[in-house]
Each structure stands twice: as C-alpha cells, then as structure tokens.
C-alpha cells in the first residue's frame, strides 16, 4: 500500500524533473481536516499510479482553510499522462467526501538553490513550512535576488537558530493547464515553529537576527514586486514503493 507516514520530502533530490505546487481552499478547519482525510483515503486505496511519480506530499495550512500539495515527478510529461488516465478518479472521490473545494491552480517549478543549516543528528524538527511566493518585474531578476538572499544567510553574524532550511524554486513554462508566469519564484522554508517564523518576520531583517549590507540590498532590490506567505504543517508524504 502506498502512503505510509514518513519524513518530509528531499527537495534537492536529483531525479526530480518537475516539482508541482498547488493549493486548495476549503473554508473551515473542519472541512480542511475532512479534505486531508479524503486525500489520504484516495491515495491509500489505489496502487501507486506511476514509477515516474517520486512523492506526493500534503500540508495543512495554519489558517484553517488551505491545503498545499507538492508532487515530485521525473518529468512534466509523466504528470500529464497521470492527469489523462488516473487523476480524475481521485478528484471525484475527494469531491464526493468534501464538495465545493476551490482549486487555485498548479505550477511547475525547478529547484534553483538551497540553504541548509542541518548537521548530523540535528535534533530540530520542522514545525512550520513557510511557503513564500515571490514576484519580479523580469524573470532574470529572480536568480539575482535568490543569490543575494543565500549570501545574506551564509554571512549573517547572528543567524536564527530556528531556520532549518530554505529551498528556492523558479517557475517554468508549463504545458496545458499549468501556470506559466515566468516572473515567479517560490521559497519553501522549514522552521522549528510558526512562532519562530513570525518572530523572524517581525525582526529588522526577516530570517536573521541582525542587519547587514546584504539584507539592506535585499530590502531595496529593484524589480521585486512583492510576496505572499502561507504557513503550513506537514501532514503526510505518499512515496513510490
């Protein structure tokens, strides 16, 4: 049976050719819980759909409304084959259990760079996944901004002990129904808790404990349009047998 509970996915695994991110909105904490259970039932009751699906990961929003999906595929073409032949039966089962789910679109990303503070036998456990969608005037600015953020994290003299990792992704042109806004990027950041993340955001330099020239450059970065932030708790990972 697929879907045994297991640790969070490895976002840096080299065999991922398409990282698909999407959100659903369901309205209330009760419907959110029921939807998460229905998603689990739809995956547990069926054989693994394709050897090219490496993992399917589910997160529950701390807002009591959203669910976040992260699928790791070997290629976008493999995902579209799944959509043509197997996705609808899962969707129908979930919708029968929780009618009225609003699906907010899906986009294909590629991981660009990451920052990881973990050491061997690190006792910290991710209690909050902050998903930050970033928008820029030009797609080329995304790499410049991410490079500067990673430089700021690596050189900060007073880093936050609660930031575990941050993985930066770039949206790519997607076929068919996938979003293709190439000015977007996404940061998937693991924190020890939602409270720790909120405290970092409230500080002078989000994610760190001090103000440095690098963080000043980030705050004044030309061409950065803004960001949206959602906080999630990891619910479950369904992995290829």
């Amino acid at each position: 049976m697929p879907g045994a509970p297991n640790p969070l996915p490895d976002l840096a695994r080299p065999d991922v050719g398409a990282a698909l991110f999407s959100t659903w909105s369901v309205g209330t904490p009760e419907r959110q819980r029921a939807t998460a259970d229905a998603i689990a039932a739809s995956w547990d009751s069926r054989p693994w759909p394709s050897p090219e699906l490496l993992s399917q990961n589910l997160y529950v929003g701390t807002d009591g409304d959203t669910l976040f999906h992260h699928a790791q595929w070997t290629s976008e073409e493999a995902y579209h084959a799944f959509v043509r032949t197997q996705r609808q039966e899962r969707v129908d089962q979930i919708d029968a259990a929780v009618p009225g789910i609003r699906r907010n679109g899906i986009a294909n990303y590629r991981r660009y760079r990451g920052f990881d503070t973990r050491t061997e036998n690190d006792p910290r456990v991710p209690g909050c996944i902050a998903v930050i969608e970033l928008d820029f005037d030009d797609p080329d600015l995304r790499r410049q901004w991410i490079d500067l953020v990673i430089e700021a994290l690596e050189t900060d003299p007073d880093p936050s002990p609660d930031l575990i990792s941050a993985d930066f992704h770039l949206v790519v042109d997607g076929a068919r129904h996938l979003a293709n806004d190439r000015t977007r990027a996404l940061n998937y950041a693991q924190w020890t808790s939602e409270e720790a993340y909120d405290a970092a955001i409230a500080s002078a330099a989000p994610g760190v404990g001090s103000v440095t020239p690098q963080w000043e450059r980030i705050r004044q970065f030309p061409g950065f349009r803004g960001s949206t932030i959602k906080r999630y708790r990891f619910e479950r990972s369904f992995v290829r047998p």
Side-chain angles (χ1 to χ4, degrees):
M1 295 287 290
N6 57 317
L8 274 74
D10 176 8
L11 274 72
R13 60 183 297 175
D15 50 350
V16 176
L20 303 181
F21 295 106
S22 64
T23 60
W24 293 0
S25 178
V26 295
T28 68
E30 294 76 18
R31 283 172 52 83
Q32 189 184 55
R33 180 70 265 155
T35 304
D37 292 342
I39 292 168
S42 74
W43 283 87
D44 285 342
S45 61
R46 293 175 174 82
W48 193 248
S50 168
E52 295 181 284
L53 174 59
L54 306 175
S55 75
Q56 178 79 24
N57 307 282
L58 177 64
Y59 305 78
V60 175
T62 61
D63 58 4
D65 170 41
T66 55
L67 295 108
F68 179 64
H69 302 264
H70 166 214
Q72 294 180 308
W73 287 86
T74 59
S75 69
E76 184 181 315
E77 293 73 20
Y79 163 72
H80 287 299
F82 164 74
V83 169
R84 289 192 300 270
T85 60
Q86 300 185 59
R87 180 179 180 273
Q88 192 59 46
E89 64 182 17
R90 286 172 165 80
V91 170
D92 290 344
Q93 180 178 340
I94 296 165
D95 285 349
V98 187
I101 295 171
R102 186 170 75 248
R103 294 173 172 87
N104 302 319
I106 183 170
N108 180 15
Y109 285 83
R110 296 286 190 279
R111 182 180 182 273
Y112 172 55
R113 291 187 65 184
F115 174 78
D116 200 312
T117 68
R118 284 170 288 198
T119 58
E120 188 175 1
N121 300 319
D122 195 318
R124 295 175 300 170
V125 176
C128 172
I129 307 297
V131 177
I132 308 165
E133 292 190 75
L134 308 144
D135 198 14
F136 299 85
D137 287 335
D138 185 275
D140 292 336
L141 296 175
R142 300 176 300 174
R143 291 179 174 84
Q144 299 176 33
W145 187 90
I146 293 168
D147 291 344
L148 186 57
V149 169
I150 291 180
E151 179 187 349
L153 290 168
E154 291 176 340
T155 60
D156 189 85
D158 186 22
S160 169
D162 295 297
L163 173 60
I164 297 173
S165 66
D167 288 271
F168 295 90
H169 295 70
L170 307 177
V171 74
V172 299
D173 288 336
R176 301 180 179 90
H177 62 281
L178 296 179
N180 57 7
D181 183 353
R182 295 181 61 246
T183 62
R184 287 166 52 193
L186 182 145
N187 178 16
Y188 172 112
Q190 298 186 40
W191 288 80
T192 57
S193 69
E194 186 179 8
E195 294 75 16
Y197 176 74
D198 289 341
I201 285 293
S203 69
V208 296
S210 61
V211 177
T212 65
Q214 288 88 349
W215 287 114
E216 287 294 337
R217 289 170 60 194
I218 291 165
R219 279 199 291 269
Q220 300 174 20
F221 190 87
F224 176 66
R225 292 181 181 175
S227 62
T228 58
I229 303 169
K230 291 284 189 181
R231 302 164 181 81
Y232 298 94
R233 289 185 295 271
F234 176 66
E235 174 74 13
R236 189 159 173 192
S237 184
F238 306 88
V239 297
R240 183 178 65 180

